Amino acid sequence: MTKLTGSQVVAQTLKNYGVEYVAGIPGHGIWTLTDAFLEEDSKLKFIQVFHEQSAVHLADGFYRVSGKPMAAVTSIGAGASNTVIGMATAFTDSTSVMLITGGPPTHMRGHGLLQELERYTDNDFPKVAEAVSKRHWVSNRVEDLSFIMHRAWSSMTTGRPGPVHIEIPMDVQAESADVSLHPLQERVPVGKAFPDPTAIAAAADVLKDAQRPVMVIGGGVITGEAWNEVKALAQAWQIPVVTTWNGKSGFPEDHPLFAGSVGQTGTMCGNTMASQADVLIAVGCRFTDWSSSSYAKGVTFAIPPSRLIHIDIDPHEIGKNYPVTVGICADAKHALAQLLSALGGETADRPDYMKTLKQAQDQWEEKLSSRRDSNRFPFTSQRPLGALRKIFPRNTIVVVGSGNTQGAVKQTFPVYEPRTHLTSGGFSSMGWAVPAAIGAKLAAPNQPVVCILGDGDFLMTSQEIAICATNNIPVVFMIQNNAGYMSIRGGQRKQTSRHIGTEFNKPNGEPYSPDYKALGEAFGLKSWRVERAEDLEPILQQALDCNEPVLIEIPTDRDAAGPWVPGWWDFPIPDYITDERQEEYRTLRQSEQHL
């Protein structure tokens, strides 16, 4: 045993567990903890952020690229509360982040300590964190911390990953005790969850009978590193592959079997193939409303009559939204490998089905090219994406904001390698992309990282570009400026033919926009504003070549800003709207299969 303070226990344990970075703001509630990061036995690289939310987003982006967790630390009160959106994003998308916050000293709880929530229950912040954490702990003694640290690590990284929260009171950080640090290899379960052989055999029987199979891959394919097994099964059995938000990059998009993405802002090809499948193999996919067109039968999926083989690490997801023919609770990589083995080396030849797929791909490409290859200025959302794909290398990591940009990238920007497309999928958090891109670059310093986002999204965490200047982190920030929240405006117009609170305008109605080029330069980034369509590619080439933090403002047409919407989203129409939209809504709602 060694006499250590609570802060030393935490800092040394993080270092022992292989944590490379800690991000945060060292408020008074964690002064003792952050001081421990300066000691020789626990020296850790500290990334100073400018909003606590961004510390969690940064750690989230780091994990999505590396598969390794990092820590975020914040003070008590406002600092801790600012992390909620970051934790909710990581929780919804099943990514591993360790958040450590300070807490009121144990002898001061309930007395109205500065920044304490205590009017309902003493020290109430842990209840706030509970809803957005896979698990959370409050340490009351230094002696507890070694145990808590490995329990938190185990919870965060095993089974379905997720963020965890640990609150450490200020006195527990400062006090010392005789403790033993617990080696991780002795405390964390080793190995993956293998599938039930009976379920695998049943799935193989279903697949052997399939005439029009489709594989739906979600974020679980990335987390489970199952991309090789997806490709092997698809190729052997001639199965078209479609992706959800977080499944994008789990299958190379220049492969002949890639059918596109699915859902409300999926692709026509992806939705068509998935809706007409007689067998669907869903892997690491939870069938959200956006990826399933709000479950309207035949828009994205039709289950039944399609038979569903659903593979997921979390039994909570199997059968939740659609009935399964075979449910397999297991690690995605091993489940797919076992399924391929159970098929006994057989293969399928589906020439007519492949012709159908190729026709759907060609039809989508024809539609896509009309916006992607357009030279109108200000640009469509798609045109800069086509240019970026031509100029930046195959292994470029794109980190994508929410809204129109999120859907346009999903449809238009092909990715080819795992972990090269990151987006705040299920929670679709604005403000996520900028810090997440910085985390992604820390995780992959030898790959180009481009953050693609709208101006409304950028403004929520724009200050974090300063991290790139203070740490020399060469991220390219590509701002598609359409002076407003245009995805929200588009939804409002579609539902009610009018809009409110979505355009950034001056009093006279002219569009308002900050000077983003000047803003980037003020923060210390090399910056451009594209002034003509023909300048786009040269500027992108310069951004790639300079290998330093870069900001590019790209004027984007307000009325040509968004992705196509080949799917559907259940958004109730107000009763005072009495035209054909009301009947369309009722018809599609009545077809929803999730109930």
Side-chain angles (χ1 to χ4, degrees):
M1 287 194 171
T2 307
K3 197 172 191 65
L4 298 172
T5 67
S7 295
Q8 289 174 317
V9 171
V10 171
Q12 290 186 28
T13 300
L14 289 174
K15 190 175 183 69
N16 292 344
Y17 288 3
V19 171
E20 297 178 55
Y21 298 98
V22 178
I25 296 177
H28 77 280
I30 53 166
W31 281 341
T32 306
L33 175 62
T34 50
D35 185 70
F37 298 151
L38 298 173
E39 297 197 323
E40 197 59 41
D41 290 342
S42 54
K43 192 167 286 185
L44 289 166
K45 297 174 184 174
F46 190 84
I47 305 296
Q48 174 197 62
V49 299
F50 296 89
H51 190 287
E52 292 87 356
Q53 169 187 342
S54 299
V56 182
H57 289 331
L58 191 152
D60 184 355
F62 183 92
Y63 174 79
R64 294 189 199 218
V65 169
S66 67
K68 299 189 296 184
M70 65 174 281
V73 296
T74 72
S75 189
I76 67 173
S81 299
N82 275 342
T83 66
V84 170
I85 291 175
M87 292 292 282
T89 304
F91 186 62
T92 305
D93 283 356
S94 304
T95 60
S96 295
V97 174
M98 179 175 283
L99 172 65
I100 303 171
T101 63
T106 56
H107 58 283
M108 297 288 284
R109 288 175 181 162
H111 291 273
L113 183 81
L114 177 68
Q115 297 187 321
E116 180 189 19
L117 295 172
E118 48 75 35
R119 204 168 299 166
Y120 185 73
T121 303
D122 296 350
N123 186 36
D124 230 5
F125 177 73
K127 270 197 287 189
V128 176
E130 187 174 287
V132 294
S133 306
K134 187 177 178 184
R135 272 205 65 180
H136 75 99
W137 290 260
V138 177
S139 173
N140 291 310
R141 304 186 310 145
V142 176
E143 292 87 345
D144 294 339
L145 277 168
S146 291
F147 173 80
I148 288 173
M149 289 298 290
H150 72 70
R151 288 298 83 203
W153 195 274
S154 178
S155 178
M156 174 178 63
T157 58
T158 60
R160 181 178 186 168
V164 294
H165 169 240
I166 304 170
E167 179 177 289
I168 309 175
M170 286 185 275
D171 56 330
V172 176
Q173 294 175 43
E175 292 169 359
S176 62
D178 291 324
V179 296
S180 296
L181 301 183
H182 297 174
L184 188 62
Q185 66 271 20
E186 297 177 1
R187 299 289 182 165
V188 175
V190 176
K192 301 290 185 179
F194 270 66
D196 184 330
T198 304
I200 290 293
D205 288 342
V206 172
L207 186 54
K208 285 176 182 178
D209 288 339
Q211 301 299 311
R212 301 181 310 281
V214 168
M215 195 170 349
V216 187
I217 63 171
V221 167
I222 309 298
T223 304
E225 299 184 346
W227 43 80
N228 288 332
E229 288 72 19
V230 166
K231 189 174 179 180
L233 180 60
Q235 290 180 159
W237 281 78
Q238 293 288 277
I239 305 173
V241 177
V242 297
T243 60
T244 67
W245 287 112
N246 284 321
K248 188 175 172 76
S249 85
F251 193 80
E253 296 186 23
D254 55 354
H255 195 287
L257 289 169
F258 180 68
S261 55
V262 288
Q264 188 227 12
T265 53
T267 65
M268 291 165 51
C269 178
N271 279 343
T272 297
M273 299 303 295
S275 65
Q276 296 177 2
D278 62 344
V279 172
L280 289 162
I281 309 167
V283 188
C285 158
R286 60 195 181 96
F287 289 111
T288 65
D289 64 333
W290 266 19
S291 291
S292 305
S293 290
S294 295
Y295 318 104
K297 184 175 181 178
V299 180
T300 294
F301 303 114
I303 311 171
S306 297
R307 292 179 292 168
L308 174 62
I309 300 168
H310 194 171
I311 300 169
D312 204 281
I313 193 69
D314 188 351
H316 171 78
E317 299 299 342
I318 295 174
K320 182 177 78 175
N321 289 322
Y322 288 116
V324 297
T325 303
V326 183
I328 303 174
C329 183
D331 174 77
K333 185 179 182 73
H334 292 296
L336 289 171
Q338 293 290 311
L339 178 56
L340 192 58
S341 177
L343 292 166
E346 295 182 44
T347 58
D349 186 24
R350 312 179 200 274
D352 291 340
Y353 191 41
M354 293 300 102
K355 287 179 183 176
T356 300
L357 172 61
K358 184 64 168 61
Q359 288 171 354
Q361 290 168 333
D362 290 345
Q363 289 169 359
W364 173 246
E365 168 59 24
E366 183 179 355
K367 189 173 185 69
L368 192 62
S369 63
S370 65
R371 292 185 186 176
R372 185 196 59 214
D373 302 337
S374 169
N375 269 331
R376 68 185 294 170
F377 189 85
F379 295 111
T380 64
S381 281
Q382 291 80 6
R383 168 72 169 82
L385 303 179
L388 184 71
R389 184 70 283 175
K390 290 176 186 175
I391 290 169
F392 274 65
R394 188 177 179 87
N395 68 342
T396 297
I397 297 167
V398 291
V399 184
V400 188
S402 65
N404 279 338
T405 303
Q406 192 175 36
V409 170
K410 182 183 177 187
Q411 293 178 344
T412 311
F413 190 86
V415 293
Y416 312 115
E417 298 180 10
R419 302 189 189 278
T420 57
H421 171 266
L422 280 63
T423 192
S424 58
F427 215 60
S428 195
S429 312
M430 295 181 75
W432 175 85
V434 170
I438 298 168
K441 186 63 178 179
L442 289 175
N446 296 321
Q447 289 176 249
V449 173
V450 182
C451 179
I452 310 169
L453 73 172
D455 54 319
D457 194 319
F458 176 73
L459 287 171
M460 292 205 172
T461 49
S462 58
Q463 73 280 355
E464 303 303 340
I465 64 174
I467 299 172
C468 293
T470 57
N471 293 274
N472 192 27
I473 302 172
V475 176
V476 175
F477 297 98
M478 199 166 96
I479 304 167
Q480 295 193 300
N481 181 9
N482 52 29
Y485 305 124
M486 290 300 103
S487 66
I488 303 173
R489 189 190 73 165
Q492 289 180 347
R493 282 174 152 183
K494 183 177 180 180
Q495 303 300 329
T496 64
S497 301
R498 53 189 179 179
H499 57 89
I500 182 172
T502 54
E503 295 181 345
F504 303 160
N505 290 334
K506 298 176 183 176
N508 64 2
E510 292 180 8
Y512 166 80
S513 177
D515 185 337
Y516 291 106
K517 178 178 182 293
L519 184 149
E521 290 171 343
F523 273 94
L525 275 64
K526 195 164 191 172
S527 302
W528 288 272
R529 184 180 192 275
V530 179
E531 301 286 358
R532 303 176 304 167
E534 57 267 32
D535 293 338
L536 176 61
E537 282 82 359
I539 287 174
L540 289 174
Q541 187 66 56
Q542 291 179 72
L544 174 63
D545 293 343
C546 74
N547 193 34
E548 61 182 276
V550 163
L551 184 149
I552 305 170
E553 178 189 350
I554 299 178
T556 305
D557 196 309
R558 277 180 166 179
D559 294 313
W564 282 276
V565 184
W568 187 62
W569 189 24
D570 183 336
F571 190 92
I573 304 295
D575 278 348
Y576 51 76
I577 302 293
T578 57
D579 58 23
E580 68 280 356
R581 286 172 288 187
Q582 195 67 256
E583 183 57 34
E584 178 190 11
Y585 173 74
R586 289 171 180 161
T587 300
L588 284 165
R589 179 169 171 175
Q590 287 170 2
S591 77
E592 290 175 8
Q593 295 186 288
H594 65 294
L595 298 177

